Amino acid sequence: MAARQTGSLIDCGLSEDVLVVDQLNAGLFSEQTLQLGFIVYVLCSKGSANFTLNAKACELRPGDLLISFGNQRFKDCRASEDFEGKMMLISQQFSKDSIVGLKHLWPYLLFLMEHPVLHLDEAEQKWLFDCYGILIKRLTNSRGHRFLRDFILSLNKAFYFDICNLLGSRLPDVSKEGKNRSYILFDRFMHLLSDNFRRERNVAWYSEQLGITPKHLSEVVKNVSGRTASYWITSFVLMEIKSLLRNTSYSVKEIADKMNFSSQSFLGKYFKNATGISPSEFRQSNE
């Protein structure tokens, strides 16, 4: 993640994965193009800020919450001199580890693609500041935790659910509003993937379940997310394998069985082709 220091940084011990700026000021916003973390939260408490995101002009005012995800660039950033807020940046790898298996999040993430700035009422602002306060309190006391990464992953998942709860009243009923068919299909694909990635790794299987051709599915997923269907399948599978290697004592053969690989050797080849190292080497590097 690349960003200038613009306020009070909170060190939770995982600076490459999670960066919290508790006292964000106008220094972040300039006319330069900024590339930030894979998931970005900005809560404006004072002043205002303007920027362009995904070719959309956006404005942050007191009480507004910005949620952006993906490797996006903020352009034409400007802020008033009295701008104040709070910001949290989550790396791509950490985001993937947090989101895998949380199938209920996908409709909300799709909604945020089109509505990155949420205007909160006073009750929602208080509730979110309370959630943020709890999260920060836990983060600032996490250093030295024996299970630091998994501990913060759990906090991050909990915060995601808090945000989803906030989005609940805003999420449109896609069946009533005639939502773009591509987004609906992508949502169905991600739900299907969340339920079946431990058993099915073939794009053709998912396209068959959805009643479309593999080519059509790949085109739709690429258009919506910027990534292919194969990429998402591989990402889910790899994150689960890594989690099992990192957090359990299962042998590679047992993991191969759980992930529906025909053999330990086949899993090893799959993993090494994708990561450049063997499952055993990954486990040793994370001990």
Side-chain angles (χ1 to χ4, degrees):
M1 292 180 289
R4 292 178 293 167
Q5 181 167 339
T6 59
S8 175
L9 295 177
I10 292 178
D11 182 7
C12 64
L14 290 176
S15 59
E16 293 301 312
D17 286 316
V18 180
L19 176 64
V20 179
V21 183
D22 192 47
Q23 297 177 22
L24 180 67
N25 56 49
L28 173 67
F29 294 92
S30 68
E31 295 183 359
Q32 298 179 0
T33 297
L34 302 172
Q35 183 159 6
L36 304 174
F38 187 75
I39 294 184
V40 180
Y41 302 101
V42 178
L43 181 60
C44 176
S45 56
K46 185 179 179 182
S48 63
N50 295 273
F51 52 90
T52 299
L53 178 64
N54 292 337
K56 292 184 178 180
C58 300
E59 181 180 28
L60 274 177
R61 303 194 68 82
D64 287 351
L65 173 66
L66 164 70
I67 306 177
S68 169
F69 62 96
N71 295 314
Q72 304 181 51
R73 290 179 180 271
F74 290 76
K75 298 181 179 179
D76 305 320
C77 303
R78 300 179 304 279
S80 61
E81 293 184 1
D82 62 341
F83 175 84
E84 293 180 5
K86 302 178 183 300
M87 179 171 69
M88 184 182 301
L89 307 169
I90 312 294
S91 74
Q92 182 172 8
Q93 190 65 50
F94 206 76
S95 299
K96 288 180 182 178
D97 289 349
S98 298
I99 292 175
V100 166
L102 302 183
K103 62 182 181 180
H104 300 293
L105 294 180
W106 293 111
Y108 300 101
L109 294 180
L110 293 175
F111 175 72
L112 289 170
M113 284 183 176
E114 297 183 2
H115 306 87
V117 176
L118 305 177
H119 304 291
L120 310 180
D121 61 32
E122 290 186 9
E124 290 173 330
Q125 291 177 43
K126 182 180 184 305
W127 177 81
L128 188 59
F129 271 105
D130 287 344
C131 293
Y132 174 84
I134 293 171
L135 178 67
I136 295 306
K137 184 177 181 180
R138 298 302 299 272
L139 287 177
T140 53
N141 290 289
S142 65
R143 291 190 67 85
H145 198 292
R146 293 184 180 182
F147 308 99
L148 179 62
R149 193 174 190 278
D150 292 300
F151 172 70
I152 295 180
L153 270 175
S154 297
L155 291 179
N156 202 30
K157 288 181 180 181
F159 190 66
Y160 283 158
F161 281 120
D162 281 334
I163 294 298
C164 287
N165 185 58
L166 185 69
L167 289 170
S169 62
R170 293 170 168 81
L171 188 66
D173 186 333
V174 295
S175 64
K176 291 182 180 180
E177 296 198 7
K179 192 71 172 171
N180 184 291
R181 292 180 181 274
S182 294
Y183 282 80
I184 296 173
L185 184 58
F186 178 72
D187 180 35
R188 291 176 61 200
F189 167 68
M190 296 307 292
H191 276 73
L192 194 63
L193 178 59
S194 295
D195 288 336
N196 295 281
F197 72 91
R198 294 175 184 84
R199 299 185 301 274
E200 303 292 343
R201 296 182 295 277
N202 194 313
V203 174
W205 184 88
Y206 290 94
S207 65
E208 182 179 353
Q209 303 306 306
L210 295 168
I212 59 176
T213 66
K215 181 180 179 181
H216 185 198
L217 175 60
S218 295
E219 288 176 349
V220 168
V221 172
K222 181 66 180 291
N223 288 337
V224 171
S225 69
R227 302 286 188 174
T228 64
S230 295
Y231 167 87
W232 285 110
I233 294 170
T234 301
S235 293
F236 272 52
V237 173
L238 287 178
M239 290 309 103
E240 182 72 1
I241 295 173
K242 288 179 179 180
S243 178
L244 291 170
L245 289 169
R246 186 188 296 119
N247 302 316
T248 75
S249 59
Y250 292 134
S251 67
V252 176
K253 183 180 183 305
E254 289 173 321
I255 294 174
D257 291 339
K258 288 181 176 296
M259 298 298 295
N260 198 34
F261 283 87
S262 58
S263 67
Q264 174 180 336
S265 175
F266 187 56
L267 180 144
K269 291 179 181 178
Y270 181 95
F271 191 88
K272 189 165 186 176
N273 285 339
T275 66
I277 61 175
S278 69
S280 298
E281 290 170 332
F282 177 83
R283 172 168 273 171
Q284 291 173 1
S285 68
N286 283 271
E287 290 179 348

